[in-house]
Amino acid sequence: MKIITRFAPSPTGYIHIGNVRSAIYPYLAARQTGGKFILRIEDTDQARYVPGATELIMDTLRWLGLEWDEGPEVGGPAAPYFQTERKDIYLDWAKKLIAEGKAYADDTPSETIEAYRKADAAAKVPYLYRNHRPDTTKKWQEGMPIRFKSDPKPRTWHDEVMGDMHAGPEVQDDIILIKKDGLPTYNFAHIVDDYLMGVNMVARGVEYLSSTPNYLALYEAFGIDRPLLVSLPHILAPQGNKKLGKRDGAKSVTEYRDDGVLPEAMLNYLACLGWNDGTEQEIYTKDELVKAFSLDRIQNSGARYDEVKLLWLNGQWIRKLVTEQGIDAFYPRTTNFWPETAKSYADSYKKQVLGIIYDRLKTLSDLREMTGYFFADPAFDIDQLLTNKFIKKTGLSESELAALLDTVRTRLEKLPAWTEANLKTILNELLETTGRKPAELFSLIRIAVSFAPFSPALDLTLAVLGRDVSLSRLRRVQSALVSDQQ
Ligand code: GLU
């Protein structure tokens, strides 16, 4: 079956990772079956509307590579795809129900409704509006809400993730279809839209499960087939047993982008948060996900959000892409992530730096912290050198360390060509001539040229830094050790 499905966000703010997973599974199901993935903007709740949110949603989907076949900016046979622009359609559909005696216009004042609620609470009976349904029906006029005339009865259905479900009449009520402002409720609008857009699978957060009996009643009232229903369990906060929310640091997806997370890694991570194909595989490309995805392997319990895992996966993806595509192809992705001091450097030099450091990055923004010494002399701190555990192990005094650096520098100065291969040979030779352990000798040289907690392999680091910079930094530290001693 070709899955025609949709992502139907409300433009109420940024989309965080908890929301966007509801786009990924429908997308994968649509692509796998050669169906359709529709984007519909559910903007009928004017009080919660946030300007710019729709653009952010589209930006996020495009960044993740979840292109839509129908929807804003793309169009399609069921246009428009903004619910506020479909107002008349919902009203027509609601009027059809009124004509058939399955809905009614109701202008009961809100104070009266509040009084019903209170009375039911005092009588300890569940509040159901249908118990207070007015005896006489009014002719609909603008400004009057329209309610569904519910037909409560036991209902059973199958949810692709939650299994066989049933609900009693007590959860079915005269829900509002059209509000006072003339706009439809979510409960009503999505039924009409899914039908008109040919949607045959609805995947959404599990919070809609409890309303499903009311939706089933609406499908029945219209005489339309219900789509496949897929309830997606919540993504849980790193701690506790609650849904991941903005307060638990659920950052917007675009914030991760700005922090140097790759879209491939984000998609991979979120798709596998609450779904697996039963194998140990952890790295999936989008195409692999499309092939491997199946609804019946979505977990029915909440999956815990784990940023450490996301960043690990991102590191894996950086390695994978550089290995597969090469530095030249990957390099443009790093544009915004270099330290300020790198600005004046040529791309060719930055590519060299990237080439030796990429396999240590977790996010692209690590470049900012990890590559400073390639572009400017590092802040100089002789104590950092003296307190390093490997330097301490040498048991050498400052003047002895200075002498050791002198030996190194003099030898390096004689190199006929400053190449990786030559540097490697000389560094090994120096181990022999000085009788020092690699960790000790190489830490001394590494700190002297970088003052960084770690760096790529020393021969590579020196090769990229170049002859002049490397030698002058060695000289600088050597003389600092000498004058510190005096
Ligand atoms: N507008 C709803 C939301 O953002 C969509 C639910 C659905 O996919 O039907 O939660």
Side-chain angles (χ1 to χ4, degrees):
M1 162 169 151
K2 284 188 186 210
I3 300 283
I4 317 283
T5 187
R6 78 308 191 273
F7 178 49
S10 301
T12 54
Y14 64 72
I15 35 180
H16 67 68
I17 50 175
N19 318 121
V20 80
R21 203 191 46 175
S22 318
I24 296 177
Y25 294 157
Y27 174 89
L28 296 176
R31 289 291 170 270
Q32 186 179 63
T33 57
K36 249 194 256 175
F37 177 64
I38 301 169
L39 174 62
R40 181 172 76 223
I41 304 296
E42 303 207 322
D43 55 351
T44 57
D45 191 347
Q46 300 282 285
R48 294 178 62 219
Y49 178 79
V50 174
T54 303
E55 288 66 29
L56 210 53
I57 289 166
M58 296 195 288
D59 201 24
T60 305
L61 294 180
R62 287 197 172 115
W63 180 68
L64 285 169
L66 305 177
E67 69 288 349
W68 53 99
D69 307 304
E70 287 180 27
E73 292 183 0
V74 172
Y81 293 91
F82 287 85
Q83 288 188 326
T84 46
E85 294 173 21
R86 302 171 62 79
K87 202 172 156 184
D88 296 342
I89 302 178
Y90 311 116
L91 193 57
D92 280 352
W93 277 61
K95 283 180 180 165
K96 246 191 272 178
L97 287 183
I98 294 181
E100 291 171 16
K102 295 172 179 169
Y104 57 97
D106 178 25
D107 62 352
T108 306
S110 45
E111 305 80 64
T112 312
I113 298 176
E114 201 36 45
Y116 293 155
R117 238 182 245 284
K118 281 196 179 132
D120 286 351
K124 296 204 166 49
V125 295
Y127 167 76
L128 283 166
Y129 190 79
R130 61 176 154 86
N131 294 334
H132 307 282
R133 187 186 293 162
D135 299 328
T136 52
T137 49
K138 301 219 165 112
K139 193 170 160 35
W140 182 80
Q141 288 170 27
E142 221 159 295
M144 253 193 217
I146 300 177
R147 279 185 187 265
F148 183 54
K149 198 182 273 178
S150 59
D151 174 19
K153 58 185 180 195
R155 293 187 186 272
T156 56
W157 75 99
H158 182 74
D159 184 288
E160 301 304 313
V161 173
M162 299 300 164
D164 288 330
M165 312 294 298
H166 45 88
E170 67 282 358
V171 293
Q172 295 159 59
D173 201 7
D174 288 6
I175 56 171
I176 295 179
L177 307 178
I178 302 286
K179 299 177 287 183
K180 243 195 217 140
D181 63 6
L183 286 167
T185 53
Y186 162 77
N187 290 337
F188 183 52
H190 86 273
I191 303 272
V192 174
D193 286 345
D194 286 342
Y195 175 73
L196 293 176
M197 295 177 184
V199 166
N200 57 20
M201 182 191 102
V202 168
R204 62 186 154 203
V206 70
E207 60 272 26
Y208 295 96
L209 191 58
S210 59
S211 306
T212 302
N214 285 314
Y215 304 154
L216 296 176
L218 278 168
Y219 293 127
E220 190 177 273
F222 284 123
I224 59 184
D225 290 337
R226 69 165 178 83
L228 286 183
L229 296 172
V230 182
S231 294
L232 303 174
H234 292 140
I235 295 179
L236 302 177
Q239 267 104 37
N241 221 359
K242 56 181 173 138
K243 180 175 158 183
L244 178 71
K246 296 188 183 176
R247 249 179 272 158
D248 313 295
K251 291 194 273 187
S252 75
V253 178
T254 47
E255 235 172 301
Y256 283 98
R257 173 189 67 191
D258 300 344
D259 284 349
V261 169
L262 303 177
E264 290 90 343
M266 186 55 114
L267 184 74
N268 186 167
Y269 176 71
L270 290 175
C272 297
L273 193 57
W275 168 86
N276 67 72
D277 66 359
T279 71
E280 296 290 298
Q281 187 172 345
E282 292 193 282
I283 316 282
Y284 289 87
T285 63
K286 188 168 90 170
D287 288 346
E288 286 168 338
L289 286 170
V290 166
K291 280 206 191 84
F293 183 70
S294 67
L295 287 176
D296 58 4
R297 293 204 61 94
I298 297 177
Q299 265 167 239
N300 61 8
S301 58
R304 195 170 294 285
Y305 175 62
D306 178 357
E307 190 168 288
V308 174
K309 178 82 194 279
L310 168 65
L311 298 186
W312 172 82
L313 199 59
N314 199 53
Q316 299 297 310
W317 264 99
I318 293 174
R319 262 156 264 184
K320 177 177 164 68
L321 292 177
V322 170
T323 315
E324 286 173 5
Q325 309 177 342
I327 288 291
D328 285 337
F330 187 79
Y331 175 72
R333 296 192 187 226
T334 64
T335 308
N336 298 325
F337 297 99
W338 294 95
E340 273 300 301
T341 45
K343 266 208 178 108
S344 54
Y345 283 78
D347 290 334
S348 55
Y349 179 69
K350 285 189 263 185
K351 282 181 191 174
Q352 285 182 354
V353 176
L354 182 63
I356 64 171
I357 207 144
Y358 75 89
D359 60 352
R360 286 159 194 262
L361 303 175
K362 284 216 169 72
T363 67
L364 296 178
S365 57
D366 287 344
L367 283 172
R368 225 167 270 141
E369 280 90 60
M370 288 169 58
T371 65
Y373 59 90
F374 284 102
F375 305 103
D377 283 336
F380 190 81
D381 177 3
I382 214 67
D383 283 340
Q384 186 190 332
L385 185 128
L386 295 173
T387 53
N388 176 278
K389 75 170 176 204
F390 295 113
I391 308 283
K392 274 176 148 173
K393 266 198 194 149
T394 62
L396 298 177
S397 69
E398 287 181 53
S399 55
E400 286 165 333
L401 287 170
L404 186 54
L405 273 181
D406 192 59
T407 310
V408 169
R409 191 176 49 81
T410 328
R411 184 65 192 90
L412 289 176
E413 267 169 359
K414 292 204 189 95
L415 264 186
W418 195 265
T419 62
E420 238 172 79
N422 284 349
L423 285 160
K424 194 177 181 128
T425 313
I426 296 305
L427 288 171
N428 284 330
E429 186 194 296
L430 278 164
L431 286 176
E432 274 177 40
T433 53
T434 64
R436 290 283 146 200
K437 293 205 174 89
E440 296 171 3
L441 184 70
F442 294 169
S443 295
L444 177 66
I445 305 173
R446 192 177 55 70
I447 296 175
V449 297
S450 74
F451 279 90
F454 47 82
S455 71
L458 192 54
D459 48 345
L460 304 180
T461 307
L462 293 175
V464 172
L465 281 173
R467 179 191 183 96
D468 293 350
V469 171
S470 304
L471 294 178
S472 94
R473 288 187 190 170
L474 291 174
R475 200 174 301 118
R476 185 174 75 140
V477 172
Q478 185 189 335
S479 49
L481 284 167
V482 171
S483 53
D484 204 43
Q485 184 87 348
Q486 286 155 1

